[in-house]
Amino acid sequence: NGDRNNLRNELEKIKSFSAKGKKIEYDQIKYLVNSSTEIKNENLVNICLSGEILELKKILQELSIESINQILLLKILGNKIRRLLTIKNQNDTNQNLDSLINSVKPPIFWKEKSIVRKQLTVWKINDLKKVIYQINNIEISCKKNPRSSAPILFNFLTGLCKRASY
């Protein structure tokens, strides 16, 4: 993105990776250089809502603050929570979790079923409603304070992840 410091850091990564004299393949360079920008917002949200604190810390350390669109991430988080709320509200017959997940419309992608199952067990309806309210407040704070929006968001995500891990 034209940032010389970022370029310098990426070159240092490659240099330190190859310090042992072994040959580096193109795919390895591509992974090293793009590791922080290729992390999907959806993955970050899932990790956070699943309470995987160590994984969240690892991702947040790799991310550059400039590479995150805070408002987009909050929208994705809000949509995910609304979806969990909808699923939880459909469980008026107390059917088993797997049946509930399989009956949801639109269907949940097979790779996500285990993640959604875990999130449904971790979060209660009232907690999800509180988080939606908090997301709205965080979004307002990020828009009012663009310079401090990344730390505001990261603190919120960390707190959310800790709450999910209990």
Side-chain angles (χ1 to χ4, degrees):
N1 294 336
D3 182 0
R4 290 179 189 262
N5 286 328
N6 189 29
L7 180 60
R8 199 173 296 117
N9 289 337
E10 299 303 323
L11 288 171
E12 284 299 318
K13 271 194 230 176
I14 294 169
K15 204 162 103 178
S16 66
F17 187 77
S18 66
K20 296 178 181 167
K22 63 181 188 177
K23 186 177 177 183
I24 301 177
E25 299 295 322
Y26 174 73
D27 288 337
Q28 291 171 314
I29 293 174
K30 188 175 160 186
Y31 173 77
L32 285 171
V33 172
N34 291 322
S35 63
S36 65
T37 56
E38 286 186 0
I39 295 170
K40 303 282 184 224
N41 287 331
E42 186 77 28
N43 188 28
L44 182 62
V45 166
N46 280 330
I47 286 169
C48 182
L49 290 175
S50 298
E52 299 173 24
I53 295 173
L54 296 176
E55 191 66 27
L56 179 70
K57 285 181 179 181
K58 179 181 166 192
I59 289 174
L60 292 180
Q61 288 173 349
E62 291 176 0
L63 288 174
S64 72
I65 292 175
E66 296 82 26
S67 69
I68 295 181
N69 181 339
Q70 289 91 9
I71 304 304
L72 177 62
L73 187 60
L74 285 169
K75 298 283 185 200
I76 292 169
L77 179 61
N79 288 337
K80 181 72 171 184
I81 290 176
R82 283 184 199 83
R83 176 81 190 246
L84 291 173
L85 259 172
T86 302
I87 295 169
K88 280 209 161 277
N89 285 328
Q90 287 177 357
N91 194 14
D92 54 1
T93 60
N94 289 328
Q95 58 187 351
N96 102 15
L97 209 49
D98 289 324
S99 300
L100 180 64
I101 289 171
N102 289 329
S103 68
V104 170
K105 302 290 184 212
I108 297 170
F109 187 56
W110 66 271
K111 283 185 176 181
E112 291 228 344
K113 286 186 179 185
S114 63
I115 296 167
V116 171
R117 184 180 304 106
K118 181 176 183 180
Q119 292 168 351
L120 287 169
T121 8
V122 166
W123 292 96
K124 297 186 179 4
I125 289 177
N126 288 336
D127 293 334
L128 291 171
K129 288 178 182 178
K130 288 176 187 175
V131 172
I132 287 183
Y133 179 77
Q134 290 172 331
I135 288 172
N136 294 334
N137 289 336
I138 295 295
E139 184 175 344
I140 291 168
S141 294
C142 287
K143 287 178 178 178
K144 285 183 178 178
N145 308 305
R147 289 185 181 189
S148 57
S149 61
I152 290 170
L153 178 66
F154 289 170
N155 287 337
F156 174 67
L157 291 176
T158 304
L160 199 60
C161 189
K162 284 179 182 176
R163 194 179 330 166
S165 70
Y166 292 128

